[in-house]
Structure formats: C-alpha cells, structure tokens
Amino acid sequence: MVKICCIGAGYVGGPTMAVIALKCPEIEVAVVDISAPRINAWNSEHLPIYEPGLDDVVKQCKGKNLFFSTDVEKHVAEADIVFVSVNTPTKTQGLGAGKAADLTYWESAARMIADVSKSDKIVVEKSTVPVKTAEAIERILTHNRKGINFTILSNPEFLAEGTAIADLFKPDRVLIGGRETPEGQKAIHALRDVYAHWVPMDRILCTNLWSAELSKLAANAFLAQRISSVNAMSALCEATGADVSQVSHAIGTDSRIGPKFLNASVGFGGSCFQKDILNLVYICECNGLPEVANYWKQVIKVNDYQKTRFVNRVVSSMFNTVSGKKIAILGFAFKKDTGDTRETPAIDVCKGLLGDKAKLSIYDPQVSEDQITRDLAMKKFDWDHPAHLQPLSPTSNKQVSVVWDAYEAIKDAHGICIMTEWDEFKNLDYKKVYDSMQKPAFVFDGRNVVDVNKLRDIGFIVYSIGKPLDSWLKDMPAVA
Ligand code: NAD
Ligand code: UGA
C-alpha cells in the first residue's frame, strides 16, 4: 500500500489530503502537524477550518485511510511520498525583511525528513515557495543521505478558500514539476498516478521544477493584478460617473479578457496574494530586474490605496470625523464562505477607523471574538506563523465590541461598513436597519452587495465602490 504523509495540517494540507484519501481508497494518508490543538480539532467533530463540503469528505475517510497525528517523525519515516505544506510567511527581520519568503518552517521540515528517513522518498513542495527552493531543499536532503534517495517535486496548490473542495474535485489543472532526469520523471509519474484517480490526464501538466515553482507565484500575481486593475478603474468611475459593474461587464464579455475576477472591492485579502507578490518582487530584485519588480509592486500599492480610499470616504462623509461614533462592521473574513481572516481588508479598515477614534461593533458569521481581537492587535505578517508562535491573545480594545447578530451590530450605529460579501448582508431588512440607526444613516458597501437605489429610497446615504456617487458624497470629497 502506498503511504502518503503531509507535513502541515492547515488550509491546504487538510483539504488536499482529505480529497486524495477519498479518491484513492488504496492509499493511506497521514496528515501531521506540530500544533496539537490543530490535530485535536481535525480528530474532533469541529474541524479547525470552515470550508463548504469538507466535513463530509473528512467523515467519509477519517479513521479508514485518513489519519491526523502529531507524531510527525513516525509518519514521515513510514511514507513513500511526503508532501510539505507548512507556512511560508513573509520575512519580518533581516535580509529581505518585508518581502522575501521566510523558509524557516520549510527548512526545519526538510531537516527532519533527512533525519528520520530510512527508505527512499518523493518529497513534494506543496507550500508556495520562491523559485529555486527545490535546489536548497535537495541540498538539505542529500547532505546526510545515508544511502537514501530523495526526489523532489514541485506540486503547487491552486485551490481558493471557500471553494476548496470543489476546486480539488475538479481542478482547472494539476501542476507537477520535476527534474528532467530518469529519477525525476519516475517521481513525476508516481505523483501523476495519484491525481489520475480523478483528474483527467490532459489536466495534469508536467514541467521542470522551476517552471512549476514560478507558475504558482505568477498565477497569484496575475489574479491579484486583475483585482487591482478593476479597483483602479473603480476610483476613476467614482470621479466620472461611470459604474464599475457596467465597465467590468463590458470588458469581461471580450473573450480574450473573460468575466472572472473583475469584481471591484475594498481590496483583496487572504494569506497569499500579497505574500506571493512580495516574494516575486524580491526574486526580481535579486535577479537584477528592478523594472519588473516595480511593475508587480504596483499591484500591492493599488490594493493599499483602495483600503485607504475606503476609510477616507467613511470619515469624510461623516463630517470629517468618526470620533465616538458607532460604526457597524459587517463581515471580517477576507471573503465569504470562509472563517479565514488572514490579510483581510477588514483589519486595515478597522485600524483606520479606530485611528480616527470610532467605536466599532463587528459581526461576522464565521469569525470568533478572540480571532478579531488578535487580528486587530497583531503586527503585520505575525499571523502567518504556526499558532503556538503567534503573540498570546491580547486584552480586548475598549473601542471594539464583537457581536453575534448583524442587527445587534447595527443598532444605534451612525454607519455600516460591509467588508465581506456574506449572502445574509444582501437580505437584511434594511427598513428595520434604517429605523434602528442614528440619522443621517450611512452604508459604505465595500463589496457591492446592496441594492443602492433601494437603500437610497429608504433614506440611507450610500457609498458603493466604483458606483456613481451619492450627491452627499460629491460634496464631501475624500482627500487623504
Ligand atoms: P496554514 O498556516 O493553515 O498551515 C500550515 C501548518 O503547518 C500549520 O498548521 C503549522 O502548525 C504547520 N507547521 C509549520 N511548520 C511545521 C513543521 N516543521 N512540522 C509540522 N507542521 C508544521 O497554512 P496554509 O494556508 O495551509 O498554507 C500552507 C502553504 O500553502 C503556504 O505556503 C501557502 O502559501 C500555500 N497555499 C495556501 C493556500 C490557501 O488557500 N490557504 C492556497 C494555495 C497555496
Ligand atoms: C487565491 C487564488 O484564487 C488561488 O488560486 C490560490 O491557490 C490561493 O489564492 C493561494 O495561493 O492562497 P484565495 O485567496 O483563497 O485564493 O481567494 P480568492 O477567491 O482568490 O480571493 C482573494 C481575495 O480577492 C479576496 O479578498 C476576494 O474577496 C478578492 N477578490 C476576488 C476581489 O476583490 N475581486 C474579485 O473579483 C475576486
């Protein structure tokens, strides 16, 4: 029986391995992690991450051919294929701080694999890593090889949170990169055979190692670039009276452009877009390509601009101050259908409003009070480390309350900021909402989910990203 072990039981390791176990009943899959609370959660009824369809997949194979364990060394030693899906955060100190990927966790995983292995192994990069990481990992693995053969593959993951299970069941493509040697090609075929259980062969792309590593960074950079492009247009739409949804639709019908990923928003969030572009920028700089680095840097600059612009709209509309005013924050996750808050734009918007002394009442159907409190206190990039290495839960901020109901968050508020496109925010009883708020009552829609005309008819002053401005806002320009 082929044995697979995955180091890292996070958003990628957990769901990808659960799907491999489901689709390949004859393969035994162990997912291991240094975080005992995370493993305990995987072994309980309450999985550590919220992902539609995941519970069902895990239930079908846990205890049969899918196991979660903290006994990292035992499972690595027994495995034929070892996936490494650990954190690859942005470095906060030293060379490349604020840009380069911190490979501490990857390196320690590689050293451990080298130490405990007693048989040949295929080692698969599942984490997103800088180009040429495989070379460094190979050096670590082969340094004290004790006669053991390690073959390294790059198999980056393209799933998106909230749709992870659907993405894994029916991926656009699976990418496998390996050395162009007989051993490299044999390893590629072995991994291809695993995916071939459910992925059509023509969707399994095999490349060299460096193409696979770079394609992952390039894919995220291109996706993020589309969002920054449409967000840049949203600012111009507000200045000119054009409607960004109409512009997106008009350009998206061009089959060369396509309709996806053209929704203007308060900015992209999530654990990877910013991290991976910073990483790409650093690699360009290291390779003497400052023009290329600056091109990609601009994608992040526009994203930061969009978040600042949103905060300025809120403050300037409310007579240039939100001091002491209650603002309801609807949604905190970086997108709907996930409880993940990593790099969510809500953090920057909340911090901006708190900087102007607002009182925030936050509601998200999937994010706990503890998580929100941590996020608002944490330093940039600290979130992307294993849980036990993150700062302890801080004492709560008196200006912030976290509630478990949207209407409760909104009661007596001066304004509402919609930060996540949860479906329930489309369907609130906005007449009831209006009646419960201070007047004038403002809605700032960072996700374009509300029916602007309907809300204006009720009496709200509405700001919706990239939409023709309310006359109130025209008179109160948002200047930084
Ligand atoms: P995560 O933080 O959810 O999970 C990583 C896990 O690795 C943590 O549970 C941590 O405790 C564990 N870990 C760290 N070092 C370890 C070690 N030495 N031994 C055992 N366990 C260890 O992160 P994630 O979101 O799953 O991302 C993992 C990688 O996948 C990153 O490189 C990320 O860029 C990439 N990626 C993420 C997504 C996504 O949607 N989240 C999608 C594609 C790729
Ligand atoms: C993204 C990619 O889509 C995945 O392919 C990739 O594997 C993953 O990053 C990763 O490497 O981590 P994810 O971050 O989970 O997935 O979610 P996305 O759906 O890409 O959304 C990212 C952010 O962009 C969210 O904040 C979302 O609200 C925002 N977004 C997305 C927009 O503002 N507008 C859009 O049109 C689309």
Side-chain angles (χ1 to χ4, degrees):
M1 187 184 220
V2 174
K3 285 192 177 183
I4 288 181
C5 174
C6 176
I7 306 175
Y11 284 87
V12 169
T16 46
M17 292 303 125
V19 169
I20 289 182
L22 182 76
K23 300 290 186 183
C24 312
E26 80 288 5
I27 296 180
E28 190 179 297
V29 182
V31 191
V32 297
D33 203 292
I34 41 176
S35 164
R38 219 165 203 188
I39 291 298
N40 291 342
W42 281 109
N43 282 324
S44 76
E45 292 291 302
H46 299 284
L47 303 186
I49 61 178
Y50 170 68
E51 195 61 63
L54 177 64
D55 276 29
D56 190 42
V57 174
V58 172
K59 241 182 229 144
Q60 289 185 59
C61 20
K62 194 160 67 179
K64 289 185 192 142
N65 66 331
L66 175 67
F67 303 92
F68 294 93
S69 168
T70 48
D71 198 343
V72 181
E73 299 188 357
K74 169 179 173 280
H75 289 285
V76 168
E78 289 174 356
D80 305 292
I81 304 177
V82 181
F83 285 83
V84 185
S85 183
V86 300
N87 323 59
T88 48
T90 304
K91 270 184 94 171
T92 48
Q93 287 180 332
L95 191 65
K99 278 184 279 196
D102 179 349
L103 292 177
T104 313
Y105 306 110
W106 234 109
E107 185 178 333
S108 83
R111 286 182 188 279
M112 185 268 300
I113 297 171
D115 285 348
V116 305
S117 293
K118 295 187 186 69
S119 56
D120 294 353
K121 297 196 192 312
I122 296 172
V123 177
V124 185
E125 289 177 346
K126 197 54 154 165
S127 303
T128 305
V129 291
V131 192
K132 294 281 179 182
T133 298
E135 201 166 67
I137 302 303
E138 263 171 357
R139 286 208 188 124
I140 294 171
L141 290 172
T142 50
H143 195 61
N144 352 317
R145 90 159 93 184
K146 305 172 279 188
I148 297 167
N149 292 314
F150 294 103
T151 314
I152 189 140
L153 297 178
S154 165
N155 172 222
E157 185 48 59
F158 295 101
L159 67 80
E161 287 176 32
T163 53
I165 297 300
D167 294 342
L168 288 164
F169 277 1
K170 219 169 169 293
D172 286 344
R173 77 308 207 181
V174 165
L175 181 57
I176 306 176
R179 288 269 184 206
E180 283 149 329
T181 57
E183 303 78 50
Q185 295 303 302
K186 197 171 152 213
I188 287 180
H189 291 156
L191 187 56
R192 197 184 58 184
D193 289 347
V194 172
Y195 285 107
H197 280 74
W198 77 100
V199 181
M201 275 303 209
D202 60 353
R203 292 199 175 198
I204 305 179
L205 313 182
C206 301
T207 66
N208 75 27
L209 273 171
W210 323 130
S211 303
E213 288 179 338
L214 182 56
S215 297
K216 173 62 196 176
L217 296 179
N220 274 358
F222 272 58
L223 289 168
Q225 180 209 42
R226 272 175 83 94
I227 303 169
S228 279
S229 297
V230 78
N231 282 344
M233 284 300 161
S234 76
L236 190 55
C237 285
E238 288 167 29
T240 56
D243 178 328
V244 75
S245 304
Q246 293 176 354
V247 173
S248 293
H249 180 67
I251 61 174
T253 47
D254 184 326
S255 60
R256 293 167 302 174
I257 295 175
K260 292 183 182 164
F261 257 70
L262 287 178
N263 292 324
S265 68
V266 60
F268 60 74
S271 60
C272 294
F273 279 175
Q274 174 172 287
K275 163 176 83 75
D276 293 348
I277 294 174
L278 288 171
N279 186 349
L280 187 66
V281 165
Y282 184 68
I283 296 169
C284 293
E285 286 171 354
C286 291
N287 282 286
L289 302 168
E291 290 81 3
V292 186
N294 285 336
Y295 174 76
W296 289 110
K297 228 185 258 175
Q298 203 56 31
V299 172
I300 295 188
K301 281 195 185 161
V302 169
N303 199 45
D304 289 339
Y305 163 75
Q306 190 75 345
K307 291 181 273 189
T308 309
R309 212 167 72 73
F310 187 86
V311 173
N312 290 348
R313 281 282 185 213
V314 177
V315 178
S316 68
S317 312
M318 298 171 88
F319 313 102
N320 246 353
T321 177
V322 286
S323 178
K325 291 176 186 165
K326 178 176 172 180
I327 312 263
I329 304 291
L330 297 189
F332 201 80
F334 81 98
K335 62 190 266 197
K336 76 169 182 176
D337 289 338
T338 175
D340 193 351
T341 60
R342 296 179 291 178
E343 286 294 342
T344 175
I347 295 177
D348 288 330
V349 169
C350 286
K351 284 187 175 170
L353 295 172
L354 288 170
D356 224 288
K357 300 206 175 92
K359 281 160 77 180
L360 304 183
S361 186
I362 306 176
Y363 163 69
D364 187 291
Q366 285 297 335
V367 185
S368 69
E369 178 170 1
D370 183 57
Q371 186 62 50
I372 292 173
T373 313
R374 271 166 187 271
D375 287 338
L376 292 179
M378 218 174 306
K379 285 203 219 112
K380 209 168 164 58
F381 305 129
D382 271 359
W383 50 268
D384 200 6
H385 291 267
H388 67 286
L389 297 178
Q390 287 173 14
L392 293 173
S393 198
T395 48
S396 53
N397 181 331
K398 284 204 189 81
Q399 282 172 265
V400 177
S401 63
V402 178
V403 296
W404 276 105
D405 174 66
Y407 293 102
E408 169 82 23
I410 289 163
K411 192 167 174 292
D412 290 325
H414 291 255
I416 298 172
C417 294
I418 300 177
M419 293 288 98
T420 315
E421 70 281 22
W422 288 106
D423 291 336
E424 66 174 274
F425 302 149
K426 287 182 198 153
N427 305 321
L428 291 174
D429 177 346
Y430 277 100
K431 177 73 180 81
K432 178 175 155 190
V433 164
Y434 182 76
D435 291 341
S436 75
M437 290 176 67
Q438 305 278 341
K439 308 294 176 318
F442 297 86
V443 171
F444 302 94
D445 185 358
R447 297 290 183 168
N448 287 351
V449 293
V450 301
D451 181 335
V452 177
N453 291 332
K454 200 169 129 197
L455 263 62
R456 285 191 183 137
D457 287 347
I458 294 174
F460 285 102
I461 295 159
V462 187
Y463 167 70
S464 202
I465 302 264
K467 301 277 178 169
L469 289 181
D470 203 298
S471 55
W472 179 287
L473 278 102
K474 276 191 201 143
D475 299 337
M476 305 225 176
V479 180

